[in-house]
Amino acid sequence: MENGKGTASGPKKLPFTPKAIIHQRFGSKACYTVEEVQEVVQNGCPGLVIPQRGPCLYRCSLQLPEFSVVSEAFRRKKDAEQSAAEKAIQQLGIQPKEDNLTVEQAWDELVGRLSYLFSIEFLPAIHPLSGHFRAALAREGHLNGFIPLVAIATFDAKINSLCKYISSEMESNPLLVMSLIIEAAKRLEDSLLFSEEKLSLKRLTPHPPEIIQSLPKNEPNFPESISFEAIRVPSSAEKTVEPVILNASSGNYYLDVIAKELGVEDASKVLISRTIGKASSETRLYFCAPESTTIGSSSELYMKQASSFKGYVNTIASYLSGQEICGDAILASVGYTRKSTDLFYEDLSLRAYYRILANKIPSGIYKLSREAILAAELPTAFTTRSNWRGSFPRDILCTFCRQHRLSEPVFSSDSIEPLPDLPGRKRLRDTSSGENETNEGGLAATAVAQEGCNLVYRCTVKIYSKCQELILLCSPKESYKKQIDAIHSTALKVLSWLDRFLDKVDMSVEEITSSAKGFDILIYPQQLVKEFTLCQTLPKYQWGSATLAGSFVCPRYSNVQNNTLEEELSSGTTPSSGSLVCVTYKIYLAMERECIMEHLEGSEEFEFEIGSGAVSPVLEAVVTQMSVDQSACFTMELPAKEIVLAVAHDSANIISLLSSGTCLMKCEVTLLRVTVPLEDRMEQALFSPPLSKQRVEYAVQHIRESCAASLVDFGCGSGSLLESLLAYQTSLEKIAGVDISQRALARAAKILHSKLNGNIEAEQPINSIKSAILYDGSILTCDSRLCGYDIATCLEVIEHMEEHDACSFGDIVLSSFCPQILIVSTPNYEYNVILQKSTPQYQDDDPDEKIQQQSCKFRNHDHKFEWTRQQFCQWASELALRHNYDVEFSGVGGEPNKEPGFASQIAVFRRKDSSPVNADFTEHYDVIWEWSSSNNS
């Protein structure tokens, strides 16, 4: 232990916040009023006169007895309040004490604080610790008046802060606080009595009777006998977590009650964890103190405690609290608060316990924010703010870091102008020097301005430990038109990887590094393993999706069989990728062969975006087969018992059902409404049939005229083109599709499998397809299995890439795959003004998207670019010239000789020579699904 006069190595911050300083001086006379302010920002687009709404900001007014001050505008209310308090401090001329306490000064203040806690003045105060002092006066026998050291160390923030000045190890070893309290108490031996056996302190001079009689009484309606539910968390992996009932009357000290439940004599043998979950909660873990018969110096005490911890660490309790806990533990929500002198308590059920566990992983945080543990999934992509439901990725990442006691994530965003990937485009200056770096999940005040028309944004996220050691760095290459989209998309990448990592934390360093690289994440293995080492021994509950066991779909709950499903679906609006759907759903725990169902989860209105991965694949697969007002009932395989208990309101009944027989989850869902994507709304408002169908029909016509025997669709998605081909008589014998979305490929496989098998069983088959195959892979990579196909298509795909990738795709297809014919379609940017004028508006549309639409932006949030006719013609002509192809231009939607041309512009490339293709025999794609007529006949 240090006793020198050097500067203490405590926390590097002011001892008090501005608000705390104002409270010390004025107390309740300081009145804070926070109001929301709305600022109009410059749009950055010349000629656009529509006012654009800025972010929600807050301004605080602080009224003091002598004057008032008003803060600047901030994104968070608490920042505005602190700013107002800081202005008041400056006006009052108060000079806050800087962080220059020496170790000796910290000792002096610690002794003074301990003296105050045992004073007559503190006893009636409303403070989390004063309730323990009052309860100690009601303890019987030799325990009367004794305060356990653990209570002082746990519930007085000032004691903890001063101890950190004396020893920097306090942050990682909270038990050392008790040792320093003992050392401080020795300097007060004339007024305090320390019991080494009880690890407790007591006033030598009892409180006067009149003081005790004047203490605040419990509220009139406060019960004499208190019972509340808690959870026993066993240290042995062979034992199960179970609920316990704790009984504490008004005359019993609740820490003594918990001690007896743990099997020890009294509260002096109990240690208490930090708060679990929200910092404002009273949920903590209580566990037995290690046996220690003598106490010497603080370091000696700690070493004895540490040595006795070995061999029976409670991994789950340690994981929840972020500190080492040994033996069985009690998880309870009970304690004294700053709001009342009464003891606060609430039941903590098995449901609450497993939800606390779920809140430690990214997907669990998202599921809880949607109140849909069984139905929701952490989305795989951030599309638009208007379609996102639940907590936003940035907020989830901040919550995750707090749950694991890491520093707040640091977001660094920079704005750049698109690079000139096409000849003739003006090179735009790089403005990355104007980088904004923010933490605590917020944006810097200087980053509030609206994005310009040409600027795009990239974001970098850094995560540090509490000791400011860098754990991971995520720096994606993708750029976005909005700064907030760049931040949320990058945060979602980090969350997606963390989900995978926490599901398999026992990976080798090489595996960790490799998996992180796929998410554009650089990890620092030593720091990562150090922070998440406790996760390695945790049970894996597999919070992921359930699998389908069986289903039937029906309109308005009437029993319609599967053979009438297609007829029913064709009569209504069906969801497609990008659609925002709203459903009513209920999930039950059902006993097989018995009419017993226990409700688990449900929602009257549950919204999600199709194709974003925001719900269970099983639920999405069923909903995509439905039309509006249609209902479905299907069963799913049962997930882990712990996940079922996380949603069960009656855990005892659920446990009984689970143990009595084979159970399944039964889900009932009704599709209430479908909101199609903005791009589809624009096209449907002006074209009949819709533009998407016209593109497919154009491609089908050219395929039929080509007499091709093989076709590959690059960026096939859910297989709309491949499915359409099956309805026509063509010369095709072999078809293939490539996409990077496994969800889309799974839908395509299901549709194609059904259609192809139906064609074989028909008396007069429509088509002559002999084989079909779907690949998971990037169309920017060559795979020799697709070289030499007769015809290739790529409909409305290239605009979803960066422009330089679109150029690379053209070179790869024509130089490596070498099809006889290549059909490429992409939006005509010049046509957007017509589409947007005819688009119906919806009340819930994102205001930012409305502004984007009115300012002639792109048709889809995911489009990285859209070309004019001149740009598309230049790209296609130069591409054809480089690779010895002819190219002709056409389109659908609109008229060729009337401005502004076709809505979708199309280029058809034809190879001039017919020499054999030399494949390099590299296979980069993964086969997702394969069909052969010989195996299904």
Side-chain angles (χ1 to χ4, degrees), residues 232-263:
R232 176 182 289 274
V233 183
S235 59
S236 171
E238 298 175 356
K239 297 181 179 179
T240 59
V241 174
E242 60 182 7
V244 295
I245 302 297
L246 300 179
N247 298 292
S249 65
S250 57
N252 288 343
Y253 186 26
Y254 80 89
L255 285 181
D256 287 335
V257 174
I258 292 176
K260 288 182 171 57
E261 183 64 36
L262 287 170

Side-chain angles (χ1 to χ4, degrees), residues 552-554 558-566 568:
F552 66 88
V553 181
C554 55
S558 60
N559 292 321
V560 178
Q561 300 301 317
N562 284 329
N563 56 6
T564 65
L565 176 59
E566 285 189 27
E568 296 292 339

Side-chain angles (χ1 to χ4, degrees), residues 31 44 100 131 327 423 525 598 808 865:
C31 179
N100 56 0
E598 187 74 23
S808 298
F865 66 90

Side-chain angles (χ1 to χ4, degrees), residues 343-508:
L343 179 68
F344 166 84
Y345 63 95
E346 63 182 357
D347 290 333
L348 198 100
S349 61
L350 280 174
R351 180 175 186 265
Y353 165 77
Y354 285 112
R355 290 167 87 87
I356 289 172
L357 271 180
N359 207 39
K360 298 279 283 185
I361 60 174
S363 57
I365 298 171
Y366 178 77
K367 288 168 177 281
L368 290 171
S369 75
R370 299 226 59 194
E371 284 296 323
I373 287 180
L374 298 175
E377 292 291 330
L378 180 67
T380 55
F382 182 81
T383 54
T384 64
R385 279 175 288 174
S386 61
N387 280 9
W388 186 274
R389 297 296 182 268
S391 294
F392 283 100
R394 181 183 63 188
D395 302 323
I396 296 174
L397 186 57
C398 292
T399 300
F400 175 85
C401 289
R402 295 185 199 114
Q403 290 288 339
H404 289 267
R405 292 178 169 81
L406 305 172
S407 294
E408 293 287 332
V410 178
F411 297 87
S412 303
S413 58
D414 59 85
S415 56
I416 60 175
E417 294 197 11
L419 295 177
D421 292 305
L422 290 178
R425 292 194 69 170
K426 180 181 177 182
R427 176 173 286 277
L428 302 171
R429 59 185 176 85
D430 186 353
T431 61
S432 59
S433 58
E435 183 180 278
N436 291 313
E437 188 166 289
T438 67
N439 57 12
E440 297 184 357
L443 289 171
T446 55
V448 170
Q450 178 74 18
E451 296 87 342
C453 286
N454 294 323
L455 293 180
V456 293
Y457 294 84
R458 288 186 181 138
C459 178
T460 297
V461 175
K462 297 176 184 177
I463 295 182
Y464 295 87
S465 68
K466 280 293 184 184
C467 300
Q468 294 305 303
E469 296 173 321
L470 185 59
I471 298 174
L472 67 80
L473 165 69
C474 180
S475 185
K477 304 177 184 66
E478 295 88 355
S479 57
Y480 300 85
K481 295 188 289 292
K482 299 178 185 177
Q483 184 184 36
I484 193 65
D485 289 352
I487 290 173
H488 285 315
S489 297
T490 306
L492 185 57
K493 274 203 168 190
V494 176
L495 294 168
S496 300
W497 180 77
L498 285 170
D499 241 8
R500 293 193 182 189
F501 167 70
L502 291 173
D503 190 51
K504 192 180 179 183
V505 290
D506 54 350
M507 289 188 290
S508 66

Side-chain angles (χ1 to χ4, degrees), residues 35 44 99 119 172 241 324 345 385 441 458 467 478 553 586 615 621 658 664 681 763 774 798 853 870-871 905 937:
E35 62 177 356
D99 180 22
S119 67
S172 56
V241 174
E324 197 169 57
Y345 63 95
R385 279 175 288 174
R458 288 186 181 138
C467 300
E478 295 88 355
V553 181
K586 293 179 182 178
V615 294
L658 291 173
L664 285 173
R681 295 212 304 266
E763 293 183 6
L774 295 177
I798 61 172
Q853 179 184 342
Q870 187 275 332
Q871 290 172 321
Q905 47 193 344
S937 56

Side-chain angles (χ1 to χ4, degrees), residues 226-345:
I226 301 169
S227 295
F228 55 95
E229 188 176 354
I231 298 295
R232 176 182 289 274
V233 183
S235 59
S236 171
E238 298 175 356
K239 297 181 179 179
T240 59
V241 174
E242 60 182 7
V244 295
I245 302 297
L246 300 179
N247 298 292
S249 65
S250 57
N252 288 343
Y253 186 26
Y254 80 89
L255 285 181
D256 287 335
V257 174
I258 292 176
K260 288 182 171 57
E261 183 64 36
L262 287 170
V264 293
E265 185 179 352
D266 56 64
S268 65
K269 307 298 183 183
V270 173
L271 296 178
I272 308 172
S273 77
R274 309 177 180 103
T275 55
I276 308 297
K278 293 183 179 179
S280 58
S281 76
E282 290 303 317
T283 304
R284 298 175 186 269
L285 283 157
Y286 300 82
F287 52 103
C288 295
E291 295 181 5
S292 179
T293 55
T294 61
I295 298 177
S297 66
S298 60
S299 59
E300 189 177 339
L301 169 63
Y302 172 70
M303 291 306 295
K304 288 183 179 180
Q305 290 171 334
S307 64
S308 61
F309 272 19
K310 295 179 180 177
Y312 63 114
V313 173
N314 190 323
T315 54
I316 294 181
S318 301
Y319 170 69
L320 286 174
S321 65
Q323 65 190 89
E324 197 169 57
I325 291 179
C326 295
D328 289 359
I330 299 293
L331 182 67
S333 185
V334 60
Y336 296 99
T337 69
R338 295 182 181 274
K339 296 180 180 179
S340 171
T341 57
D342 293 337
L343 179 68
F344 166 84
Y345 63 95

